Amino acid sequence: TIVGQLVDTGLFFVIAFVGIWPADQLVDVIIAQYLFKTIWEAVMYPATAAVVRFLKRVEGVDFYDRGTNFNPFSIKV
């Protein structure tokens, strides 16, 4: 999640604002947004986990991908 947030935030702001904002401002905004999103996600994790547990219990659905091969390069003939 931490790496994903960095990639998402960095790509978005570079694509959206490069050439519009000065480079130092762009870096400052990327860092600030990355820290905000990462800290917010960590703070909200307990609530998110509680909602997921509740929904799984109410719906009676809890799937695991055991025995599933997600390798996109595997070929079965």
Side-chain angles (χ1 to χ4, degrees):
T1 299
I2 292 172
V3 174
Q5 288 291 2
L6 180 61
V7 171
D8 177 61
T9 303
L11 281 177
F12 172 78
F13 280 101
V14 167
I15 291 169
F17 296 108
V18 74
I20 298 172
W21 291 350
D24 58 335
Q25 181 183 8
L26 188 60
V27 170
D28 289 346
V29 170
I30 289 171
I31 292 170
Q33 283 295 310
Y34 169 72
L35 291 173
F36 172 76
K37 287 170 34 174
T38 303
I39 291 168
W40 181 252
E41 193 165 339
V43 166
M44 290 305 295
Y45 177 75
T48 301
V51 169
V52 169
R53 279 192 307 273
F54 170 76
L55 290 173
K56 285 182 178 183
R57 187 174 57 249
V58 168
E59 294 175 353
V61 178
D62 193 7
F63 292 104
Y64 294 96
D65 294 320
R66 293 187 181 124
T68 304
N69 184 0
F70 290 103
N71 184 352
F73 302 108
S74 64
I75 298 173
K76 292 185 178 182
V77 180

